[in-house]
Amino acid sequence: MELWYTEEQTDNVRLSIKVKEHLYTGKSDFQDVDVFESEEFGKFLTLDGLMMVTEKDEFIYHDMITHVAMATNPNVKNVLVIGGGDGGTVRELTRYPFIEKIDMVEIDKLVVDVSIEYLPITSSKLSDPRVNLYFEDGIEFVKNAKHKYDLILVDSTDPIGPGEGLFTNEFYTNCYNILSEDGILVNQSESPYYDQFSHEMKRAHSKIKNIFPISKVYQFHMPTYPSGHWLFGFASKKLDPIKDADFEKWTSLGIKTKYYNPQIHVGSFSLPTYVQEMLDNE
Amino acid sequence: MELWYTEEQTDNVRLSIKVKEHLYTGKSDFQDVDVFESEEFGKFLTLDGLMMVTEKDEFIYHDMITHVAMATNPNVKNVLVIGGGDGGTVRELTRYPFIEKIDMVEIDKLVVDVSIEYLPITSSKLSDPRVNLYFEDGIEFVKNAKHKYDLILVDSTDPIGPGEGLFTNEFYTNCYNILSEDGILVNQSESPYYDQFSHEMKRAHSKIKNIFPISKVYQFHMPTYPSGHWLFGFASKKLDPIKDADFEKWTSLGIKTKYYNPQIHVGSFSLPTYVQEMLDNE
Amino acid sequence: MELWYTEEQTDNVRLSIKVKEHLYTGKSDFQDVDVFESEEFGKFLTLDGLMMVTEKDEFIYHDMITHVAMATNPNVKNVLVIGGGDGGTVRELTRYPFIEKIDMVEIDKLVVDVSIEYLPITSSKLSDPRVNLYFEDGIEFVKNAKHKYDLILVDSTDPIGPGEGLFTNEFYTNCYNILSEDGILVNQSESPYYDQFSHEMKRAHSKIKNIFPISKVYQFHMPTYPSGHWLFGFASKKLDPIKDADFEKWTSLGIKTKYYNPQIHVGSFSLPTYVQEMLDNE
Amino acid sequence: MELWYTEEQTDNVRLSIKVKEHLYTGKSDFQDVDVFESEEFGKFLTLDGLMMVTEKDEFIYHDMITHVAMATNPNVKNVLVIGGGDGGTVRELTRYPFIEKIDMVEIDKLVVDVSIEYLPITSSKLSDPRVNLYFEDGIEFVKNAKHKYDLILVDSTDPIGPGEGLFTNEFYTNCYNILSEDGILVNQSESPYYDQFSHEMKRAHSKIKNIFPISKVYQFHMPTYPSGHWLFGFASKKLDPIKDADFEKWTSLGIKTKYYNPQIHVGSFSLPTYVQEMLDNE
């Protein structure tokens, strides 16, 4: 049966994935939510028709959003996850026994419900006792938060629709304010390759570097995202992701990872010249 | 006008690119050759319907096939390029004034002719006086070559059709034999992500590491190739691509590059755990 | 959400329909069964990935398979339907109060079950007391049938897979044998436009005309089938579909139809010259 | 090489045709003009990306636009063709030896030039001495024409872009005024199946029937047009296309046709009930 999920990555580029079954379709107050079964990628989740997570390569994204910061500061106790409704980021965080609290703020409860039902691979640890789920707007949450966090992971969609406010000066400033002295902010930073994505990448980085003393960008290979070339931003009050990384301690934790390792941690901050220039020129 | 070039990257994944014009179609003894004009990627060349080179991102591939070896040994005088009919690899080589001879062996003259007509961006330096074009089989060429080379760049298609013999023990052994003492072999090594490509990646690496004392693999982001995650193999008789790299000398040459830089040179050898394990387990 | 059902109508032609939801997927002993929801066609059913029936245009097919024969002989009492698992053919038959018995022989119970659940528009009359459902092979059924029928409607898939035996001499001969003196056989006869379909059209007609004294072909517009140009065969022992049609009686029945009417009944037997020649030359 | 021409027939339906070569692309003052070579349909021409004519099935359209009127009045001497830049309509007209003059008014010279170069199958008779080519606006032409015509064939694109003015009251009235007493107007009348086309079909028919004493619609199977179900309008001052048709005379001319014949002439005016109701209710 020829059923193809097609993402219009740009007006001129389409990625199509053969689908075995359309497992779920629903509509929340915020977006369309769909789950598909495919031969190539296993199950995958889309929001407003855009690829979010596949069983085949979610490990790449979740390794890279989590372990770079955790190896930089393997003393993190309190973590805030903004977005991340599929649960994969939380799953990686729960592997650190010394983390005491994980607040996850996902605006769209439907994404969590659907992930729990269809994507146990990512959502399995949402029931960890350290995890507190807040189904509310992350923008408001960081404005009103009373406690400090050692780490904030912004696991957001593109800056269109519900994700838009997560790419503003106000949001980044509020993140700064609720971070502890050693605090780190990691945020989904789009891609350098296609214009519409690099435009957002530049805007986000330009804002963050005015707020945080340390602001860098690191890259990874994410085959199901447009161009396969994706970025996270790393910002902190004082910790440098390379100089301050404690790989000895991280390695001693014995956490098995399929993408992340200390070498790629370092290597991922080495950006192509054209990407570095885009970031510098903002 | 809705005209779409579609590459079936796997049986279950298709990348489609909107085409403004189909500039050329032809058939050589070896393969179908086509050139398209597109909004997103400018002109692009396909062989047997598979994406080879686009104006938008050819710089990535050609930077990475050339400059990693050249920074490792910035004393290279004689270079052999196998394949590379679009001319982009030769173009990068001609930027080194101390290179004395570039033998390019491309089995399919039509690819060169079409590139000269439609892709001046890559083919512009094929007329450099140091360049000797041989329209013959690279497999035979390395078997019979009488001179030594300091660098061999295997800029081949996938190991199907004309590219197949370039992934054999015999070919790699002949390359070894015609390399000088400082000699380096760089070869197109497919991709780790989709099974059919990682299968070839593993086979190639497993053969090369039995022949060359030093054998490594490095990665780069190539958005128009399947998964966007692509690899080159680096093999040599004695030079290590990181320890022996002479970045000071390379930088002093003042070669402007859009992707390559010494940081990404180093970083590109840091592979994701799952890729490293695939290579180690062969 | 960009989900597209694609039918490869030929190796070189694809019809793609935007899908809102993949409502059902299943696999019987005979074939894959899928149901989709779409904006353009409402719900539609596919077998082995081929379009069978849509809510938007099923009325065309079911009008034309049923009413042409019924207007030719508005005295039919006993009807045999071979295939027709969606129930649309039976639905049209039940509109004739004087029909006493409708035996429907569908090899694949799953098609009926799925149609009852998802396509009430076609399946609503399968519970009519005059209808007897037999989930068995139509080929065997006509071989062993003891009673005579006044009308046999072969509402089959293409002659590939379960439908294959319904395009044989033996099957048509058995149909002949179990038809009453006034008996009529109507069979799905493919399409004249694309070679693979016209090949089957010619083979079927050539067999039937050797068995039945009267054998004609009539056409209709079926937009969701390949080329949109589709045919039924009309064969009978003595009734001519035009000369013997009793439109006065048919009209007096007051059956409202959206496609069929006496004028199109007559007009549909006027075939394009190239179609007529294909049929004559077999 | 996987190159696909895709026509978005509606927002939710796409027909894709595998292309061997994109033979020509150009842009006139009026529209984009493209020619493709395909396995399934031979060469085909598109305007603004919409399918106009293929080598495989142009005979259907050109038979039906021409011969229905010519059999109704096989005394036609002066013909006006509006549009029809590919030449196929003129080609059919030139087969009638008693036609003395064919004025063809095509707004876009590029369509004619391209057809002459790439589509000899349709354009071959544009050089017939009876043919006068006018590269001007058909709307203006009929407003200012001084001579009477026995037949006007409106071989236009959809009522979007250059074709729009050919679907107005003013245009139809001017056609009426320049037709002789026996005059016939045949016009491209879109399709009943998809809403956007049936909307135009109804509007066109509603205007024409207020102007012409006789106004009918006839249908044919055009597989490469949306839904494959297409219509022409037949309007005249006094001749009825069925009662007045002179099939004896037409047959005596010995014109070999692949689609048209006297039977299908008559049959094509028998419309499905839903189409007839759409036309009656306007």
PDB file of all heavy atoms in Angstrom, chain B residues 131-146:
ATOM      1  N   VAL B 131      47.019  19.806 -14.759  1.00  0.00           N
ATOM      2  CA  VAL B 131      46.011  18.731 -14.761  1.00  0.00           C
ATOM      3  C   VAL B 131      46.126  17.875 -16.022  1.00  0.00           C
ATOM      4  O   VAL B 131      46.151  18.404 -17.139  1.00  0.00           O
ATOM      5  CB  VAL B 131      44.583  19.328 -14.664  1.00  0.00           C
ATOM      6  CG1 VAL B 131      43.537  18.224 -14.754  1.00  0.00           C
ATOM      7  CG2 VAL B 131      44.426  20.138 -13.383  1.00  0.00           C
ATOM      8  N   ASN B 132      46.206  16.566 -15.846  1.00  0.00           N
ATOM      9  CA  ASN B 132      46.183  15.624 -16.968  1.00  0.00           C
ATOM     10  C   ASN B 132      44.932  14.771 -16.850  1.00  0.00           C
ATOM     11  O   ASN B 132      44.743  14.074 -15.856  1.00  0.00           O
ATOM     12  CB  ASN B 132      47.402  14.706 -16.908  1.00  0.00           C
ATOM     13  CG  ASN B 132      48.674  15.493 -16.753  1.00  0.00           C
ATOM     14  OD1 ASN B 132      49.041  16.292 -17.616  1.00  0.00           O
ATOM     15  ND2 ASN B 132      49.347  15.311 -15.595  1.00  0.00           N
ATOM     16  N   LEU B 133      44.103  14.831 -17.874  1.00  0.00           N
ATOM     17  CA  LEU B 133      42.866  14.054 -17.843  1.00  0.00           C
ATOM     18  C   LEU B 133      43.066  12.719 -18.547  1.00  0.00           C
ATOM     19  O   LEU B 133      43.544  12.669 -19.684  1.00  0.00           O
ATOM     20  CB  LEU B 133      41.740  14.830 -18.545  1.00  0.00           C
ATOM     21  CG  LEU B 133      41.250  16.113 -17.859  1.00  0.00           C
ATOM     22  CD1 LEU B 133      40.115  16.731 -18.684  1.00  0.00           C
ATOM     23  CD2 LEU B 133      40.762  15.807 -16.460  1.00  0.00           C
ATOM     24  N   TYR B 134      42.694  11.642 -17.884  1.00  0.00           N
ATOM     25  CA  TYR B 134      42.721  10.313 -18.494  1.00  0.00           C
ATOM     26  C   TYR B 134      41.299   9.761 -18.474  1.00  0.00           C
ATOM     27  O   TYR B 134      40.730   9.583 -17.401  1.00  0.00           O
ATOM     28  CB  TYR B 134      43.630   9.376 -17.692  1.00  0.00           C
ATOM     29  CG  TYR B 134      45.081   9.817 -17.663  1.00  0.00           C
ATOM     30  CD1 TYR B 134      45.527  10.717 -16.701  1.00  0.00           C
ATOM     31  CD2 TYR B 134      45.995   9.331 -18.601  1.00  0.00           C
ATOM     32  CE1 TYR B 134      46.850  11.134 -16.665  1.00  0.00           C
ATOM     33  CE2 TYR B 134      47.334   9.738 -18.575  1.00  0.00           C
ATOM     34  CZ  TYR B 134      47.749  10.644 -17.610  1.00  0.00           C
ATOM     35  OH  TYR B 134      49.055  11.045 -17.579  1.00  0.00           O
ATOM     36  N   PHE B 135      40.757   9.523 -19.644  1.00  0.00           N
ATOM     37  CA  PHE B 135      39.406   8.946 -19.682  1.00  0.00           C
ATOM     38  C   PHE B 135      39.523   7.442 -19.757  1.00  0.00           C
ATOM     39  O   PHE B 135      39.447   6.842 -20.827  1.00  0.00           O
ATOM     40  CB  PHE B 135      38.610   9.522 -20.848  1.00  0.00           C
ATOM     41  CG  PHE B 135      38.394  11.002 -20.701  1.00  0.00           C
ATOM     42  CD1 PHE B 135      38.959  11.905 -21.586  1.00  0.00           C
ATOM     43  CD2 PHE B 135      37.645  11.488 -19.631  1.00  0.00           C
ATOM     44  CE1 PHE B 135      38.769  13.269 -21.425  1.00  0.00           C
ATOM     45  CE2 PHE B 135      37.454  12.851 -19.471  1.00  0.00           C
ATOM     46  CZ  PHE B 135      38.026  13.749 -20.361  1.00  0.00           C
ATOM     47  N   GLU B 136      39.785   6.848 -18.619  1.00  0.00           N
ATOM     48  CA  GLU B 136      39.938   5.395 -18.594  1.00  0.00           C
ATOM     49  C   GLU B 136      39.535   4.870 -17.222  1.00  0.00           C
ATOM     50  O   GLU B 136      39.183   5.632 -16.322  1.00  0.00           O
ATOM     51  CB  GLU B 136      41.379   5.004 -18.955  1.00  0.00           C
ATOM     52  CG  GLU B 136      42.443   5.715 -18.152  1.00  0.00           C
ATOM     53  CD  GLU B 136      43.850   5.452 -18.706  1.00  0.00           C
ATOM     54  OE1 GLU B 136      44.265   6.170 -19.642  1.00  0.00           O
ATOM     55  OE2 GLU B 136      44.489   4.529 -18.183  1.00  0.00           O
ATOM     56  N   ASP B 137      39.613   3.577 -17.094  1.00  0.00           N
ATOM     57  CA  ASP B 137      39.158   2.919 -15.876  1.00  0.00           C
ATOM     58  C   ASP B 137      40.192   3.109 -14.765  1.00  0.00           C
ATOM     59  O   ASP B 137      41.351   2.694 -14.892  1.00  0.00           O
ATOM     60  CB  ASP B 137      38.959   1.433 -16.182  1.00  0.00           C
ATOM     61  CG  ASP B 137      38.324   0.694 -15.033  1.00  0.00           C
ATOM     62  OD1 ASP B 137      38.181   1.286 -13.939  1.00  0.00           O
ATOM     63  OD2 ASP B 137      37.973  -0.482 -15.225  1.00  0.00           O
ATOM     64  N   GLY B 138      39.771   3.698 -13.656  1.00  0.00           N
ATOM     65  CA  GLY B 138      40.677   3.936 -12.535  1.00  0.00           C
ATOM     66  C   GLY B 138      41.286   2.661 -11.989  1.00  0.00           C
ATOM     67  O   GLY B 138      42.430   2.650 -11.503  1.00  0.00           O
ATOM     68  N   ILE B 139      40.537   1.582 -12.063  1.00  0.00           N
ATOM     69  CA  ILE B 139      41.028   0.287 -11.550  1.00  0.00           C
ATOM     70  C   ILE B 139      42.261  -0.154 -12.331  1.00  0.00           C
ATOM     71  O   ILE B 139      43.256  -0.591 -11.760  1.00  0.00           O
ATOM     72  CB  ILE B 139      39.905  -0.767 -11.677  1.00  0.00           C
ATOM     73  CG1 ILE B 139      38.697  -0.297 -10.858  1.00  0.00           C
ATOM     74  CG2 ILE B 139      40.371  -2.136 -11.245  1.00  0.00           C
ATOM     75  CD1 ILE B 139      37.392  -0.915 -11.303  1.00  0.00           C
ATOM     76  N   GLU B 140      42.171  -0.031 -13.646  1.00  0.00           N
ATOM     77  CA  GLU B 140      43.315  -0.383 -14.499  1.00  0.00           C
ATOM     78  C   GLU B 140      44.458   0.611 -14.312  1.00  0.00           C
ATOM     79  O   GLU B 140      45.626   0.227 -14.278  1.00  0.00           O
ATOM     80  CB  GLU B 140      42.884  -0.386 -15.980  1.00  0.00           C
ATOM     81  CG  GLU B 140      41.946  -1.500 -16.337  1.00  0.00           C
ATOM     82  CD  GLU B 140      42.549  -2.867 -16.050  1.00  0.00           C
ATOM     83  OE1 GLU B 140      43.676  -3.140 -16.533  1.00  0.00           O
ATOM     84  OE2 GLU B 140      41.912  -3.649 -15.315  1.00  0.00           O
ATOM     85  N   PHE B 141      44.089   1.860 -14.162  1.00  0.00           N
ATOM     86  CA  PHE B 141      45.105   2.909 -14.047  1.00  0.00           C
ATOM     87  C   PHE B 141      46.030   2.663 -12.859  1.00  0.00           C
ATOM     88  O   PHE B 141      47.249   2.713 -12.974  1.00  0.00           O
ATOM     89  CB  PHE B 141      44.441   4.284 -13.941  1.00  0.00           C
ATOM     90  CG  PHE B 141      45.414   5.429 -14.072  1.00  0.00           C
ATOM     91  CD1 PHE B 141      45.647   6.032 -15.308  1.00  0.00           C
ATOM     92  CD2 PHE B 141      46.118   5.907 -12.966  1.00  0.00           C
ATOM     93  CE1 PHE B 141      46.548   7.086 -15.433  1.00  0.00           C
ATOM     94  CE2 PHE B 141      47.030   6.955 -13.081  1.00  0.00           C
ATOM     95  CZ  PHE B 141      47.236   7.546 -14.322  1.00  0.00           C
ATOM     96  N   VAL B 142      45.420   2.367 -11.694  1.00  0.00           N
ATOM     97  CA  VAL B 142      46.271   2.171 -10.502  1.00  0.00           C
ATOM     98  C   VAL B 142      47.065   0.867 -10.595  1.00  0.00           C
ATOM     99  O   VAL B 142      48.098   0.708  -9.956  1.00  0.00           O
ATOM    100  CB  VAL B 142      45.459   2.208  -9.179  1.00  0.00           C
ATOM    101  CG1 VAL B 142      44.785   3.574  -8.996  1.00  0.00           C
ATOM    102  CG2 VAL B 142      44.436   1.089  -9.117  1.00  0.00           C
ATOM    103  N   LYS B 143      46.548  -0.067 -11.374  1.00  0.00           N
ATOM    104  CA  LYS B 143      47.273  -1.338 -11.549  1.00  0.00           C
ATOM    105  C   LYS B 143      48.568  -1.101 -12.340  1.00  0.00           C
ATOM    106  O   LYS B 143      49.590  -1.735 -12.086  1.00  0.00           O
ATOM    107  CB  LYS B 143      46.362  -2.323 -12.301  1.00  0.00           C
ATOM    108  CG  LYS B 143      46.752  -3.770 -12.188  1.00  0.00           C
ATOM    109  CD  LYS B 143      45.859  -4.656 -13.067  1.00  0.00           C
ATOM    110  CE  LYS B 143      44.438  -4.733 -12.538  1.00  0.00           C
ATOM    111  NZ  LYS B 143      43.535  -5.522 -13.409  1.00  0.00           N
ATOM    112  N   ASN B 144      48.469  -0.186 -13.277  1.00  0.00           N
ATOM    113  CA  ASN B 144      49.574  -0.019 -14.224  1.00  0.00           C
ATOM    114  C   ASN B 144      50.430   1.224 -14.006  1.00  0.00           C
ATOM    115  O   ASN B 144      51.424   1.420 -14.711  1.00  0.00           O
ATOM    116  CB  ASN B 144      49.002   0.038 -15.648  1.00  0.00           C
ATOM    117  CG  ASN B 144      48.161  -1.198 -15.952  1.00  0.00           C
ATOM    118  OD1 ASN B 144      48.528  -2.309 -15.567  1.00  0.00           O
ATOM    119  ND2 ASN B 144      47.015  -1.001 -16.598  1.00  0.00           N
ATOM    120  N   ALA B 145      50.045   2.040 -13.042  1.00  0.00           N
ATOM    121  CA  ALA B 145      50.770   3.312 -12.867  1.00  0.00           C
ATOM    122  C   ALA B 145      52.237   3.055 -12.529  1.00  0.00           C
ATOM    123  O   ALA B 145      52.565   2.181 -11.727  1.00  0.00           O
ATOM    124  CB  ALA B 145      50.106   4.140 -11.770  1.00  0.00           C
ATOM    125  N   LYS B 146      53.103   3.836 -13.165  1.00  0.00           N
ATOM    126  CA  LYS B 146      54.552   3.638 -12.966  1.00  0.00           C
ATOM    127  C   LYS B 146      55.114   4.623 -11.945  1.00  0.00           C
ATOM    128  O   LYS B 146      56.141   4.375 -11.333  1.00  0.00           O
ATOM    129  CB  LYS B 146      55.286   3.825 -14.308  1.00  0.00           C
ATOM    130  CG  LYS B 146      54.906   2.786 -15.366  1.00  0.00           C
ATOM    131  CD  LYS B 146      55.497   1.408 -15.051  1.00  0.00           C
ATOM    132  CE  LYS B 146      54.992   0.342 -16.027  1.00  0.00           C
ATOM    133  NZ  LYS B 146      53.721  -0.269 -15.598  1.00  0.00           N
TER     134      LYS B 146
END
